[in-house]
Amino acid sequence: MCKGLAALPHTCLERAKEIKTKLGTLLQKPDSAIDFIIPYPEKPEKPPKAQKPSPEEALQWRDSLEKLLQNPYGLASFRSFLRSEFSEENAEFWVACEDYKKTKSPVKMAEKAKKIYGEFIQTEAPKEVNIDHFTKAVTMKNLVEPSPTSFDMAQKRIFALMEKDSLPRFVRSEFYKELIK
């Protein structure tokens, strides 16, 4: 029988220390505001101009949040609508997760995971999304070793929330009604 950590094989101890270090780094609060400064290129890049959809295409968004979010104009319109309701954090989190999944470098993935956690998941985060404690706990566990699927459960919960709550309000908005004319 094992008595305390001293009885564990050497590799188990090393692994436990490694996990503790990774979690500690991820959950660490920034020492100062300087940690929040995001470097910007000298000349800001202009995003490609999104083409306004046809009324028929915009009509499809009524029944498919996925189609809405995949269309650059639809996403921009939806985000503007959410901003007007002071609830854009859900769409921003969804977009951040999509970007995160495309990350190949493990170092960059860990950096992005920490940023997403600090901005959207952590209690009292600046743009905290509304997820249940179980989803938050699973997400935190997934971040011990970040992978492309680390935020999947939380992203699915936020997608469902937007689909059930935000999309119906967007479809009733004047802006959307103008798009389908």
Side-chain angles (χ1 to χ4, degrees):
M1 281 203 141
C2 292
K3 290 189 179 185
L5 289 177
L8 288 174
H10 186 64
T11 54
C12 289
L13 275 175
E14 288 174 352
R15 186 74 180 130
K17 286 179 184 176
E18 182 183 327
I19 290 171
K20 182 180 176 188
T21 302
K22 284 182 180 181
L23 259 180
T25 303
L26 186 62
L27 299 176
Q28 206 173 43
K29 291 195 178 196
D31 294 334
S32 67
I34 197 78
D35 292 343
F36 287 118
I37 295 174
I38 300 166
Y40 289 102
E42 299 255 338
K43 209 174 190 184
E45 296 174 27
K46 288 187 178 180
K49 201 141 188 152
Q51 186 176 345
K52 187 175 179 180
S54 66
E56 294 78 25
E57 187 177 2
L59 269 171
Q60 293 178 4
W61 300 345
R62 203 173 29 194
D63 303 316
S64 174
L65 178 60
E66 194 168 332
K67 285 183 181 178
L68 170 67
L69 296 174
Q70 288 173 350
N71 180 292
Y73 196 94
L75 176 60
S77 302
F78 189 57
R79 286 177 80 169
S80 291
F81 169 75
L82 292 175
R83 199 171 299 115
S84 75
E85 293 199 329
F86 304 99
S87 64
E88 72 258 37
E89 69 279 352
N90 291 333
E92 288 181 25
F93 174 69
W94 186 87
V95 168
C97 290
E98 288 299 297
D99 176 62
Y100 172 81
K101 287 188 227 178
K102 296 173 189 166
T103 307
K104 301 289 183 221
S105 159
V107 172
K108 288 228 186 277
M109 187 172 283
E111 288 171 6
K112 285 183 179 184
K114 183 178 179 180
K115 183 178 180 204
I116 291 170
Y117 176 82
E119 194 170 351
F120 300 103
I121 305 290
Q122 171 178 303
T123 303
E124 296 188 31
K127 299 176 182 179
E128 187 176 3
V129 291
N130 187 8
I131 55 174
D132 58 273
H133 291 289
F134 176 75
T135 302
K136 189 179 276 197
V138 168
T139 302
M140 286 174 62
K141 184 178 173 228
N142 290 345
L143 294 178
V144 172
E145 287 190 40
S147 75
T149 60
S150 293
F151 292 100
D152 280 3
M153 180 184 275
Q155 187 183 21
K156 285 176 183 160
R157 295 274 197 270
I158 293 304
F159 182 92
L161 181 68
M162 290 190 299
E163 191 171 46
K164 185 180 126 230
D165 188 40
S166 304
L167 182 62
R169 288 195 319 272
F170 174 68
V171 168
R172 289 189 303 268
S173 73
E174 287 304 315
F175 185 78
Y176 179 76
K177 289 176 183 174
E178 285 297 315
L179 282 173
I180 59 174
K181 281 185 182 178

